[in-house]
Amino acid sequence: GILGNYYFSNKHLLAVSFFLNSKSKQQHHTYIEGQYIHKELVLNYNRVSLSYQRNFLPKNKFSPTRYTVSTGAYMGFIKKAETFYNGTPVDVTKNYSEQDYGVTTAIGMELLNGNFVIGYGIKGQAGLNNIFEGDGKLPSRFDNTKLYSIGGYVCLKYRF
């Protein structure tokens, strides 16, 4: 992805990110028509986010480390949705909304070395809307599908 930051000061910044090819997966085993199968849903989408980040500087002014907390919003645009039944793909894009939106938050640490910044931490995202629009058998209100994710991140930045 591409990330851009605008620093208002050493402690406050606005971050914009764009991910061209994001992917979310859900896997489980289930019974369908009396057969036990492996079912996997794969969503491919583009995502853009806007976040406010607060930096906490250490008491030692010469320390190359700062702690970060950020919160913001994201908007995703689903390009393709596929369900795999025992590895066989079925295109289900028409069953899902084109838009996904939600909130994002992260906590982390950044190490400063000249104009380079190495960051790492934990990031979470929570979808706010039901992206399932229903199919011929199941209406959307019976399958409330929202995207949630949490995981680690590592980033390398250059300060201009």
Side-chain angles (χ1 to χ4, degrees), residues 81-140:
E82 287 183 302
T83 299
F84 292 82
Y85 297 98
N86 288 335
T88 304
V90 175
D91 188 334
V92 291
T93 306
K94 68 183 182 323
N95 298 343
Y96 290 87
S97 171
E98 291 181 3
Q99 287 98 22
D100 173 38
Y101 54 88
V103 294
T104 182
T105 187
I107 57 172
M109 184 181 290
E110 293 182 344
L111 304 171
L112 310 175
N113 187 2
N115 284 346
F116 288 96
V117 178
I118 298 172
Y120 56 93
I122 298 173
K123 185 172 191 172
Q125 298 177 338
L128 298 176
N129 66 318
N130 181 8
I131 60 170
F132 183 68
E133 292 189 332
D135 58 19
K137 298 178 184 177
L138 188 66
S140 65

Side-chain angles (χ1 to χ4, degrees), residues 1-155:
I2 299 171
L3 175 71
N5 293 339
Y6 178 76
Y7 286 83
F8 295 104
S9 70
N10 268 348
K11 294 183 179 181
H12 307 277
L13 69 94
L14 196 59
V16 176
S17 62
F18 178 70
F19 294 93
L20 186 60
N21 286 313
S22 292
K23 187 180 284 190
S24 290
K25 291 184 180 184
Q26 175 194 40
Q27 298 182 39
H28 64 278
H29 291 87
T30 187
Y31 282 97
I32 295 181
E33 297 178 4
Q35 292 185 329
Y36 187 67
I37 63 164
H38 176 80
K39 183 178 176 183
E40 179 179 23
L41 173 64
V42 178
L43 301 171
N44 293 302
Y45 52 91
N46 297 331
R47 180 175 284 183
V48 63
S49 68
L50 179 65
S51 299
Y52 165 76
Q53 179 175 309
R54 171 70 161 92
N55 297 326
F56 295 93
L57 307 174
K59 295 183 193 262
N60 177 357
K61 292 182 181 183
F62 300 105
S63 173
T65 304
R66 64 181 172 207
Y67 304 97
T68 63
V69 176
S70 69
T71 187
Y74 76 85
M75 181 77 173
F77 304 94
I78 297 174
K79 299 185 297 186
K80 187 172 186 175
E82 287 183 302
T83 299
F84 292 82
Y85 297 98
N86 288 335
T88 304
V90 175
D91 188 334
V92 291
T93 306
K94 68 183 182 323
N95 298 343
Y96 290 87
S97 171
E98 291 181 3
Q99 287 98 22
D100 173 38
Y101 54 88
V103 294
T104 182
T105 187
I107 57 172
M109 184 181 290
E110 293 182 344
L111 304 171
L112 310 175
N113 187 2
N115 284 346
F116 288 96
V117 178
I118 298 172
Y120 56 93
I122 298 173
K123 185 172 191 172
Q125 298 177 338
L128 298 176
N129 66 318
N130 181 8
I131 60 170
F132 183 68
E133 292 189 332
D135 58 19
K137 298 178 184 177
L138 188 66
S140 65
R141 69 181 183 275
F142 290 164
D143 188 0
N144 194 359
T145 305
K146 296 179 182 180
L147 297 178
Y148 297 98
S149 66
I150 188 167
Y153 71 88
V154 176
C155 64

